Amino acid sequence: AQSVTQLDSHVSVSEGTPVLLRCNYSSSYSPSLFWYVQHPNKGLQLLLKYTSAATLVKGINGFEAEFKKSETSFHLTKPSAHMSDAAEYFCVVSLYNNNDMRFGAGTRLTVKP
Amino acid sequence: DGGITQSPKYLFRKEGQNVTLSCEQNLNHDAMYWYRQDPGQGLRLIYYSQIVNDFQKGDIAEGYSVSREKKESFPLTVTSAQKNPTAFYLCASSRLNNEQFFGPGTRLTVL
């Protein structure tokens, strides 16, 4: 069965510094991987997705993620944090079809001025 | 203006009462989903439906029921059998085998 582990429950960065949110996955086959962002009391918004094409995936708002099969990782990065990036981020893995999506526990990103 | 709507945004219920959460989408998506979110946890799947008049249990279906009479609607009923219903409920939809799009959520509080 597939699963996903977000290695940090909370990450704090200063505005203008790089962001790294870590995600490891477990899957017997080639998975589809996603990052979603959730602002307080809101629904989830898709940031980016990997579906077996290019291993470096670019998303919205300057975020990108790299699929590394050898490390079973799909870390989310951004070169320069903005105050509006403060939110909860979820790494998601799915197998066969996207009806069975497994969510990580989430990483709360805090951005300090 | 396409999207997913959930109503109400906040809902209060007395113990022992059933309550129904609404989810509507105008994206023409075949599949719809209900998730529950608790503080510090990821989303857990309650029910999903891939086609009208058909739905499947997710990981935590006990105490919940759904219907899918129309493609655009997938209401969730939280019954009195649900032991701990206070949570944030999220509805999503997708084309088959594509990424899911989420509604804004309903926060249910049991008094």
Side-chain angles (χ1 to χ4, degrees):
Chain A
Q2 71 271 30
S3 66
V4 64
T5 302
Q6 292 185 243
L7 298 168
D8 306 292
S9 60
H10 182 212
V11 169
S12 181
V13 301
S14 296
E15 190 175 22
T17 64
V19 175
L20 170 64
L21 305 183
R22 299 182 295 165
C23 172
N24 284 7
Y25 69 91
S26 171
S27 175
S28 301
Y29 302 94
S30 295
S32 294
L33 292 157
F34 308 82
W35 276 99
Y36 283 85
V37 61
Q38 184 182 33
H39 291 276
N41 293 310
K42 302 288 187 185
L44 276 69
Q45 180 184 18
L46 181 67
L47 278 178
L48 49 81
K49 64 178 180 179
Y50 166 78
T51 54
S52 75
T55 56
L56 183 61
V57 181
K58 294 189 183 298
I60 62 172
N61 300 336
F63 285 95
E64 62 182 37
E66 186 171 8
F67 174 70
K68 291 187 176 180
K69 187 174 182 179
S70 61
E71 298 176 11
T72 61
S73 69
F74 190 57
H75 301 334
L76 182 71
T77 60
K78 183 173 180 178
S80 176
H82 190 272
M83 295 297 292
S84 62
D85 294 328
E88 189 91 16
Y89 291 80
F90 292 95
C91 183
V92 184
V93 62
S94 76
L95 188 62
Y96 300 132
N97 62 66
N98 294 336
N99 296 324
D100 186 13
M101 294 176 72
R102 298 290 158 168
F103 287 76
T107 297
R108 183 164 60 91
L109 176 64
T110 300
V111 182
K112 297 176 290 187
Chain B
D1 188 20
I4 305 171
T5 57
Q6 292 186 242
S7 61
K9 187 172 177 66
Y10 298 97
L11 188 55
F12 298 89
R13 184 195 98 173
K14 292 182 180 179
E15 275 195 46
Q17 289 181 336
N18 291 359
V19 63
T20 298
L21 282 60
S22 168
C23 178
E24 304 276 333
Q25 54 98 2
N26 61 5
L27 300 169
N28 199 33
H29 287 168
D30 290 301
M32 296 187 75
Y33 315 80
W34 274 106
Y35 292 91
R36 171 184 172 133
Q37 185 177 26
D38 294 284
Q41 297 188 36
L43 278 64
R44 293 182 290 169
L45 183 65
I46 303 172
Y47 269 98
Y48 70 97
S49 167
Q50 294 181 268
I51 195 170
V52 174
N53 292 324
D54 188 41
F55 46 83
Q56 284 75 42
K57 292 181 179 180
D59 297 322
I60 55 166
E62 185 175 351
Y64 299 98
S65 65
V66 293
S67 62
R68 186 88 187 275
E69 297 176 3
K70 299 185 295 182
K71 187 176 184 178
E72 58 270 22
S73 178
F74 191 42
L76 173 75
T77 297
V78 184
T79 75
S80 57
Q82 169 49 233
K83 297 280 189 288
N84 185 20
T86 294
F88 190 50
Y89 290 87
L90 287 158
C91 178
S93 71
S94 72
R95 290 179 292 157
L96 292 179
N97 302 327
N98 276 270
E99 67 270 17
Q100 296 180 18
F101 292 84
F102 286 81
T106 291
R107 186 165 297 281
L108 172 64
T109 302
V110 174
L111 304 172

